[in-house]
Structures are given as structure tokens and as C-alpha cells.
Amino acid sequence: MRTVLIILAVLMSGCATVKPPITEYRVITESFKADKASEGCRDKSLKVAQAFSSSSLMSLSMDYMESDNRVFSYSQSKWQESPNNLITSQLLKNIREAEIFSSVETSKSRSKSSLILETNIEEFMQFFSKDMKTSYAYVVITLALIDSKTNSVIATKTFNSKVDAKTLDAQGGVEALNGALSKIISQNIDWLNGVCK
């Protein structure tokens, strides 16, 4: 009888083990206004296409890289939504709020637009030094403004931003990625405003 009770106690304790919760993160950038709204853009509508990226940025996995090019994933942290979708939605939100165009719509919209903004996410990652004592976020995004009638490229530009992480963990990485992406979006607003002048 005692043996049966010990076995049951071991089995029950195994069932009662609490799995550590996984923290979900999302990208939240600052809002930006264009310095001077360009009249060249105000009569045009813009459609923001879904961003192009590597398959790793289409998952919820939060990856980071060590200096010798080894990629790992945080086991207790993940993205709330894929970085690909998050970056696309942040671009859309900020371009709308900048009030540069007459309207700004998603790629799923049935409305016709004058221009299309294509986004290629080339880098969106937290990097650690070899000794694991420092960390930074590095973001590289190429944008192309396309005439929707002729499908010709009006302008294209690559933006990059590097921001040091304050803490050597997922939280520090997310905050640094938010800062790096905010800088790129700010530069993008100025670039779009300048293209239409």
C-alpha cells in the first residue's frame, strides 16, 4: 500500500508542475509628423504593400545572434505577431498619422491608389558580442515608391539603424528594436515627404 501511495504522489507531483509562462512582445514605435506637408503628395493616395522578408521574420520566434553567426531563439519570449506583419502595420500607422497623402490604405484594400510603397526587411535582429557582455539591435529596411499605373519605381532608399540594448535579455532587445525601427520610420516620413516635392 505504501508503495502505491508513493507512486501516486510522484505521478501527482508531475501533473502539478507549472509550466513557465511565455512573455509576448510587440513592436510599438513613436508617432511622427512630417515637418512640412508636401502638396505634391496630398493629392495622391498610397497603398502600403505587405513587407517582404526572410521566413524567420514571418514566425513568432524571437531570435538573436551571437558574434560568430550562431542564431538562437529565446525560449520564454515570443512575438505577439510576426515582425513582418508588425513592421508593415507600424509603417502604415505612422504614414497615415503624418498626413502626407490624401489616403493611406493596406494592400488588402479594394481601393485604387496612385502609389504603392514596397518594403523589404533585410535585417531585424538583436546581436550579442562574443563575450555576451553587450547587445544591440540592428534594423535594415529598403523602401520603394512605385507608380501604380506604370509599375515604375519613382524612388528607392535603404534605411538602417543600430541601437544599443539597455539590458542583455529579450526585453532589452525589444526596446532596442523599437528604437531602431522608430528612427527608420522617422527618416522614412521625411524621405516620402521629400520625394513628392
Side-chain angles (χ1 to χ4, degrees):
M1 184 70 173
R2 179 178 279 182
T3 306
V4 173
L5 289 174
I6 291 171
I7 291 171
L8 283 173
V10 169
L11 289 174
M12 295 300 281
S13 66
C15 294
T17 303
V18 178
K19 186 177 180 183
I22 294 178
T23 305
E24 292 186 354
Y25 291 95
R26 60 182 303 205
V27 175
I28 302 173
T29 58
E30 301 172 34
S31 294
F32 302 97
K33 287 277 185 187
D35 291 336
K36 292 181 180 179
S38 170
E39 293 301 320
C41 286
R42 285 206 174 260
D43 63 343
K44 294 180 173 67
S45 57
L46 178 73
K47 192 170 281 190
V48 178
Q50 181 65 38
F52 301 108
S53 71
S54 63
S55 58
S56 64
L57 295 177
M58 294 183 188
S59 76
L60 301 181
S61 176
M62 281 187 70
D63 298 334
Y64 63 91
M65 185 181 288
E66 289 185 9
S67 62
D68 54 0
N69 297 326
R70 293 187 301 166
V71 178
F72 299 94
S73 295
Y74 284 108
S75 60
Q76 299 303 312
S77 301
K78 68 177 185 177
W79 292 112
Q80 183 184 43
E81 191 177 355
S82 72
N84 179 289
N85 288 339
L86 288 167
I87 291 169
T88 302
S89 65
Q90 288 298 308
L91 278 168
L92 177 74
K93 177 182 83 76
N94 280 282
I95 294 169
R96 270 186 183 153
E97 289 175 357
E99 300 178 346
I100 299 171
F101 299 93
S102 60
S103 68
V104 180
E105 306 301 329
T106 67
S107 58
K108 294 179 181 178
S109 172
R110 293 184 180 184
S111 65
K112 292 183 179 179
S113 62
S114 315
L115 304 166
I116 299 168
L117 183 68
E118 287 190 351
T119 307
N120 184 24
I121 307 166
E122 297 170 30
E123 193 72 79
F124 188 79
M125 179 86 71
Q126 180 183 10
F127 291 84
F128 283 87
S129 61
K130 194 168 187 176
D131 61 7
M132 300 297 284
K133 290 184 177 179
T134 60
S135 173
Y136 65 89
Y138 188 53
V139 179
V140 181
I141 295 176
T142 297
L143 298 169
L145 193 62
I146 298 169
D147 185 310
S148 60
K149 289 182 182 176
T150 63
N151 288 328
S152 59
V153 176
I154 297 169
T156 184
K157 185 160 179 151
T158 299
F159 301 88
N160 61 71
S161 180
K162 178 181 172 183
V163 173
D164 290 332
K166 293 178 181 176
T167 58
L168 303 177
D169 55 10
Q171 176 73 35
V174 170
E175 288 174 2
L177 286 166
N178 282 341
L181 184 60
S182 290
K183 286 182 182 179
I184 286 177
I185 290 177
S186 173
Q187 293 167 0
N188 168 52
I189 299 295
D190 292 339
W191 173 69
L192 285 172
N193 197 28
V195 166
C196 292
K197 286 181 179 176

